[in-house]
Amino acid sequence: MEDKTQIKAIKYGSGPALILAGPGSGKTTVLTHHIKHLIETGVSPDKILVITFTRKAAFEMKSRFTNLCPQTAAQTTFGTFHSIFYKIIKAFDKTDKRLVSSEDRINYITYLASDNASTEYYDHHISFYKSLSDKTLFRFVNDTEKEEFMKVYNAYNDWLKSEGMIDYDDIICECNELLKGNKEAVKYLNDKFSHICVDEFQDINNIQYETLKIMAGSQGIIYAVGDEDQSIYGFRGATPDIMKQFIKDYENTAVINLTKNYRSYQEISDFSHRVISKNPGRLNEYVPDCIKSDNKKHVHMVISQSREESVRALIRDCYARNDKTDAVLLRTNKEVAEYRRILLNTTEDEDAFKAGIIEDFLSYVGYVLTRNIQALKIIINIPARGIPGSLLKDIDSLEHLKRKVAGTRKADIIYVFENKLKILKGLNPFSFAMYLKNIVGLYEYHREKSGLIKKETIDKIYEEILGVAGVCTDLSSFKAELELIKPSIIPKTSNDKITITTFHQAKGLEWDRVFIPDAIEGKIPASMSVSECKVEEERRLFYVALTRARENLYIYTIKNEESGGSLPSRFIEEFIT
């Protein structure tokens, strides 16, 4: 049964609306029932477009709506921004551009990235740069950073163009440009859809918003559902200011707050609200009313004098299980890897890394021995050489690949690669292993991929491989010995109820118990987030983590005021006694 504010949002239908839907407020229920209400009040289902940000969300939305309205669900259009915009491009742009895969994009960016810059940096910054209508808004630290970034950015775009491809960011930009110059396409979309419903509206960027307005036209109605306090994708150009701009652009917009929280206990909700209320200029100032409330303690602040003490407390609390679903949420992927080692199996990551190194050696040995095509597809980008999967998909030999890249810049890369393979074929096992390590560059490649795996550990793995190679007489026996020393990696079973993930990846999910370690300055907020707007986004990110908890929330911080000691995060200072 819906509450009063949900019913108000569901039955609103006289113009544009902004539904402020906080954590656990039932936004999917509201959105699907609103679509049902539109159809029941005379709107044709094929006039309704529902846009989400992820395929998972689109699938869930459509599935739930199908259960509500099985007769009309097929006529209503559901899709992500990227899928809808890509269909528009394919329909009205006569060029036949293919969409680059995420794997090929990352491989090529890795190939382009300089030694002192990470792939993740370029991946995020390329997306953000493309999302800006006004490129001068992009701020570089200095001219050197600008020069390095633009070099990679331009090379990446030249590669896409030469391959006849576009990426996900280009979809948004090209659709926007197409609609600005194609009156036929605009008229078709204006006539096609009378109602556009947008989920997770806080994640929209300026180009998406501009395109959305063109699609709606002067007569279309936009029904936007979102929560400004969960706007956490600034690196993609998203900003909660667009929600405020929406109200200005559509003066008769109805703003409806969903005031109940069906997920968390009241104490968790109140705590989270006190944290996020420090962000200025918020649209949504209400304190959610939770359906779950009692006199028990649900927020647990654990203050330690050292990180070692804090980690011991986390382990103690995590394994007081009581058959609950648990999540340990962290700011970065690097911290996720560290805590997986601490909480799940301290040797698991090292064994998996060792297995990966040996598998790379086995792939090289396998190709040199048998010219196995699957082995070739693996080693071609170990280390990264920027050869996209689209080129490798249907090849049956190295010669086939050479014909495909003939006349392109990749021909030189393949030429060097082939020469190294020829040299490898004539080497004994020990020289083979040394050549892979030092000349082909596997050692440096594995060092770059190592994350939290120590250099000493990598050195020991290579010592073992070289030791095995030194006693083998040929490559076949070397291959057999490598198979013997390769660790067996047993996947985690579904009985393991501890999820360890980042704040970003936790968005949209929930658990009975949530544990947040390292709530200290320099980590929460991240040390790189020093400007006021970035600290506000870091606070929103922390808020997302807090509001994943249904029953109990554990926050671990360190208070050590001695020289060089850690201090609690500014986001929780007022709660430290």
Side-chain angles (χ1 to χ4, degrees):
M1 186 69 181
E2 296 83 25
D3 62 52
K4 289 181 180 180
T5 56
Q6 286 181 330
I7 292 171
K8 182 179 179 181
I10 288 167
K11 294 190 174 181
Y12 183 80
S14 58
L18 178 62
I19 313 302
L20 300 178
S25 60
K27 70 177 180 64
T28 304
T29 296
V30 166
L31 197 43
T32 51
H33 281 73
H34 174 69
I35 302 165
K36 179 174 181 283
H37 172 75
L38 290 177
I39 295 170
E40 290 173 344
T41 53
V43 178
S44 176
D46 64 357
K47 290 281 187 181
I48 301 171
L49 170 63
V50 185
I51 306 179
T52 69
F53 274 84
T54 66
R55 283 177 289 182
K56 179 182 176 183
F59 178 79
E60 180 187 357
M61 194 81 67
K62 185 168 185 177
S63 297
R64 289 177 65 169
F65 180 66
T66 300
N67 290 333
L68 277 177
C69 303
Q71 302 303 318
T72 57
Q75 300 171 57
T76 303
T77 302
F78 291 82
T80 64
F81 272 100
H82 290 107
S83 67
I84 297 297
F85 287 10
Y86 191 52
K87 286 177 183 177
I88 294 171
I89 293 171
K90 297 291 281 186
F92 293 97
D93 186 343
K94 303 308 179 185
T95 60
D96 188 24
K97 295 177 180 176
R98 295 176 294 111
L99 184 60
V100 66
S101 71
S102 298
E103 180 185 1
D104 286 350
R105 171 187 164 101
I106 291 298
N107 279 342
Y108 200 76
I109 291 175
T110 301
Y111 166 68
L112 292 172
S114 57
D115 292 338
N116 61 350
S118 69
T119 298
E120 185 177 10
Y121 165 86
Y122 284 114
D123 184 34
H124 285 179
H125 283 66
I126 287 171
S127 290
F128 184 40
Y129 192 75
K130 287 189 177 186
S131 76
L132 295 173
S133 300
D134 181 1
K135 304 301 186 191
T136 62
L137 294 175
F138 193 95
R139 294 287 181 262
F140 295 99
V141 174
N142 51 44
D143 289 342
T144 301
E145 184 192 26
K146 180 179 181 180
E147 183 181 340
E148 287 295 321
F149 173 78
M150 294 309 301
K151 180 180 177 182
V152 171
Y153 179 80
N154 291 329
Y156 168 70
N157 284 318
D158 288 346
W159 169 69
L160 288 178
K161 187 176 181 180
S162 69
E163 297 293 334
M165 296 189 295
I166 57 175
D167 63 17
Y168 282 98
D169 304 308
D170 291 328
I171 289 174
I172 305 300
C173 299
E174 294 202 13
C175 183
N176 179 266
E177 289 299 317
L178 185 152
L179 294 183
K180 284 180 178 177
N182 192 319
K183 293 181 180 179
E184 177 192 354
V186 173
K187 185 178 186 306
Y188 170 81
L189 293 168
N190 291 168
D191 293 342
K192 171 70 175 170
F193 300 114
S194 62
H195 290 74
I196 302 178
C197 302
V198 186
D199 186 28
E200 302 286 8
F201 192 67
Q202 76 279 350
D203 293 335
I204 201 168
N205 65 36
N206 280 297
I207 294 180
Q208 288 169 324
Y209 178 52
E210 188 178 82
T211 309
L212 191 65
K213 289 193 294 181
I214 296 172
M215 291 173 64
S218 59
Q219 302 300 315
I221 295 173
I222 298 176
Y223 185 90
V225 181
D227 178 12
E228 61 181 334
D229 295 332
Q230 296 188 69
S231 178
I232 59 173
Y233 295 108
F235 60 86
R236 297 179 189 164
T239 167
D241 290 341
I242 293 177
M243 299 180 79
K244 298 171 186 174
Q245 188 62 44
F246 177 69
I247 298 171
K248 292 178 182 178
D249 291 342
Y250 298 91
E251 294 179 357
N252 60 336
T253 297
V255 180
I256 302 172
N257 286 321
L258 301 184
T259 56
K260 280 196 179 295
N261 181 329
Y262 292 85
R263 175 186 299 161
S264 306
Y265 274 90
Q266 190 71 51
E267 185 189 0
I268 296 172
S269 179
D270 290 346
F271 180 91
S272 305
H273 182 266
R274 284 175 64 185
V275 169
I276 199 61
S277 64
K278 299 298 187 294
N279 272 3
R282 296 167 56 246
L283 287 168
N284 197 351
E285 294 290 350
Y286 76 93
V287 181
D289 178 25
C290 298
I291 64 167
K292 297 190 291 187
S293 181
D294 59 21
N295 294 322
K296 294 180 181 179
K297 189 167 181 61
H298 297 279
V299 178
H300 312 271
M301 189 74 67
V302 183
I303 306 169
S304 302
Q305 291 295 310
S306 67
R307 190 161 189 268
E308 291 74 15
E309 181 186 337
S310 186
V311 167
R312 285 197 297 270
L314 172 66
I315 294 171
R316 176 199 67 211
D317 295 334
C318 274
Y319 287 97
R321 301 298 292 270
N322 296 319
D323 199 32
K324 299 293 183 182
T325 58
D326 296 339
V328 177
L329 305 184
L330 298 136
R331 177 62 185 84
T332 67
N333 282 313
K334 184 176 181 179
E335 289 159 12
V336 167
E338 179 182 10
Y339 276 90
R340 280 186 59 82
R341 295 177 66 201
I342 291 170
L343 292 170
L344 298 181
N345 183 339
T346 55
T347 63
E348 180 193 64
D349 282 357
E350 290 183 6
D351 282 350
F353 194 73
K354 178 179 179 180
I357 291 176
I358 293 174
E359 191 60 48
D360 292 341
F361 272 81
L362 284 168
S363 296
Y364 268 96
V365 174
Y367 181 73
V368 170
L369 284 174
T370 66
R371 299 183 71 82
N372 178 278
I373 190 62
Q374 294 307 317
L376 174 64
K377 291 179 180 181
I378 293 170
I379 65 175
I380 195 71
N381 280 310
I382 298 176
R385 297 184 178 91
I387 307 300
S390 55
L391 277 178
L392 302 173
K393 190 177 297 183
D394 60 350
I395 63 167
D396 54 24
S397 66
L398 182 57
E399 291 300 319
H400 187 182
L401 178 60
K402 286 165 62 180
R403 290 195 298 271
K404 290 184 75 170
V405 301
T408 71
R409 287 175 295 179
K410 293 183 182 61
D412 292 338
I413 297 171
I414 300 301
Y415 175 79
V416 172
F417 172 67
E418 183 181 27
N419 280 342
K420 288 179 179 177
L421 291 177
K422 289 177 180 177
I423 292 170
L424 283 169
K425 190 173 183 180
L427 299 177
N428 62 48
F430 183 78
S431 298
F432 186 101
M434 288 294 291
Y435 191 84
L436 282 181
K437 177 188 174 186
N438 299 320
I439 307 303
V440 176
L442 259 62
Y443 179 78
E444 285 303 318
Y445 169 75
H446 291 132
R447 280 287 308 278
E448 290 173 5
K449 286 183 61 179
S450 63
L452 291 171
I453 304 295
K454 294 180 180 179
K455 177 182 180 296
E456 292 78 8
T457 301
I458 301 173
D459 289 343
K460 286 181 180 178
I461 296 170
Y462 268 85
E463 284 175 14
E464 186 174 5
I465 291 171
L466 292 170
V468 167
V471 298
C472 293
T473 56
D474 54 45
L475 290 184
S476 294
S477 61
F478 182 39
K479 182 173 182 290
E481 291 297 325
L482 285 175
E483 292 282 7
L484 290 176
I485 65 170
K486 178 183 171 184
S488 298
I489 307 302
I490 303 172
K492 287 285 171 188
T493 68
S494 58
N495 292 328
D496 189 347
K497 295 177 184 173
I498 299 180
T499 298
I500 304 175
T501 190
T502 64
F503 294 174
H504 279 103
Q505 291 165 340
K507 188 169 179 284
L509 305 175
E510 57 186 73
W511 295 269
D512 294 330
R513 303 193 306 170
V514 167
F515 305 87
I516 304 177
D518 294 336
I520 56 176
E521 283 294 303
K523 291 197 172 184
I524 304 173
S527 56
M528 59 196 174
S529 302
V530 293
S531 66
E532 184 177 342
C533 63
K534 286 188 176 181
V535 168
E536 287 178 15
E537 178 157 325
E538 288 286 314
R539 187 180 280 109
R540 292 193 294 269
L541 191 53
F542 187 50
Y543 174 77
V544 165
L546 298 175
T547 55
R548 301 309 94 195
R550 285 193 289 251
E551 297 179 7
N552 283 284
L553 173 64
Y554 295 80
I555 302 170
Y556 300 84
T557 190
I558 303 167
K559 189 174 183 180
N560 186 344
E561 297 180 358
E562 295 179 6
S563 178
S566 300
L567 293 174
S569 165
R570 69 192 72 180
F571 300 154
I572 58 171
E573 277 181 323
E574 65 178 287
F575 305 101
I576 305 293
T577 56

